[in-house]
Structures are given as structure tokens and as C-alpha cells.
Amino acid sequence: MSRAQEALSPRAGLWLTLLTLVSIPLWLWSLRWLQEDFSGWSALAERYPVRTHELTGSVGPVVVAIQHGNAARHEFNNCRTRQCPIIEVGLNPRGFWLRSTQQSPSPPLFVPWHAVEHCTQLSARLQAAQPDVPAVRIIIQHPDFERACTAATWRR
């Protein structure tokens, strides 16, 4: 028997196997939690559900980020694949929508233009849900979004 085989008892091998079997689902759950709950996507999806809005006017997958108040922003991308952006964006006269090209974050959301407080360089600041909750800024790195957002908020 080699020294490596002697060092790893059958009990230790069993524990390592169990640890591996538990850690993989835990890792996958934590990735989903980061994309949905930690980023604030879930709260936005509750506040801005798609309901009956048609998801038309897609501009394709775009780098999108969410920032709550002055906190760090959470960027949705996956650079392990060839295509980094994982959020598809759509623009229409009533608002803009976001949906993931992967399993998370979900569900998709639809933000009506009237919910946008103001637009600045490739981002929309949404009206605060409550006075004590920091405003949310959605950064969408696409020139068509900036034009549509500016046009929609300028009319008010």
C-alpha cells in the first residue's frame, strides 16, 4: 500500500464524498441567490412583473447592472462563456423589459417608463418604492436604451 492510500482511511473517503455531494448543490443555490436575491432582481421582479406586457422590441443580450443607492453595483454577465452578457433587453413605447438568457435571474421584469425618475448615461434611476428605501439604478449598456429612456422621460 502506498503512503497516500494509508493516509486516507475509508471513513475519510466517505466524508469527502458526502462533502462533495452536498457542496455542489449548495454552490449552485448560492449562485442563484447572488443573481436573484442579493442583487435585488427578485424585489424588482415583484415590483415590476411582466403580467400582460408583450416582450417585444428586443435589442439582444446586453451588459446590465443593478445598483441600490450608493452600494456596489451587481453586474449580470458570465465571462466563462464566449458571450458575456446574460440579460436580454427590450424596448417598447410603454417601457423596457429584462430577462435572463440563463436559468437565473428570473422571472423577467417589465419597467414602465413612468416608473423611471430620470435617465443618465446608459442608466435609469427608478422611483423609490418607499421613502426609507434607497433608489434603484439600472445600468443598461446599449445606446438604444439611452435614447429611448431620454425620449420617454423628456416628454413628462
Side-chain angles (χ1 to χ4, degrees):
M1 230 188 243
S2 72
R3 291 182 107 183
Q5 289 173 331
E6 288 175 8
L8 188 62
S9 70
R11 181 172 263 175
L14 177 63
W15 280 110
L16 285 174
T17 302
L18 287 173
L19 181 63
T20 301
L21 290 174
V22 168
S23 65
I24 291 172
L26 185 61
W27 177 71
L28 293 172
W29 174 83
S30 67
L31 288 177
R32 187 173 193 100
W33 175 78
L34 282 171
Q35 293 282 40
E36 293 179 3
D37 296 333
F38 183 73
S39 70
W41 183 282
S42 295
L44 285 175
E46 285 178 16
R47 192 168 163 204
Y48 303 110
V50 171
R51 290 193 183 118
T52 59
H53 298 287
E54 291 185 27
L55 302 183
T56 59
S58 174
V59 296
V62 177
V63 175
V64 172
I66 296 176
Q67 182 178 22
H68 297 270
N70 293 326
R73 66 185 192 169
H74 181 88
E75 195 167 289
F76 296 93
N77 60 22
N78 180 1
C79 287
R80 292 174 298 194
T81 62
R82 289 184 188 161
Q83 188 177 28
C84 284
I86 64 166
I87 304 296
E88 181 183 5
V89 175
L91 308 168
N92 67 45
R94 298 181 68 202
F96 65 95
W97 54 265
L98 308 169
R99 74 175 161 202
S100 180
T101 58
Q102 299 183 350
Q103 289 182 343
S104 72
S106 67
L109 51 102
F110 182 89
V111 179
W113 291 121
H114 65 79
V116 176
E117 194 172 273
H118 70 274
C119 302
T120 56
Q121 299 176 322
L122 301 173
S123 71
R125 182 176 173 179
L126 306 181
Q127 296 171 353
Q130 299 169 356
D132 58 336
V133 176
V136 175
R137 187 168 72 117
I138 300 178
I139 299 103
I140 300 176
Q141 298 180 14
H142 196 281
D144 289 349
F145 171 76
E146 185 173 15
R147 284 190 289 274
C149 189
T150 302
T153 56
W154 179 77
R155 286 184 223 133
R156 285 189 261 148

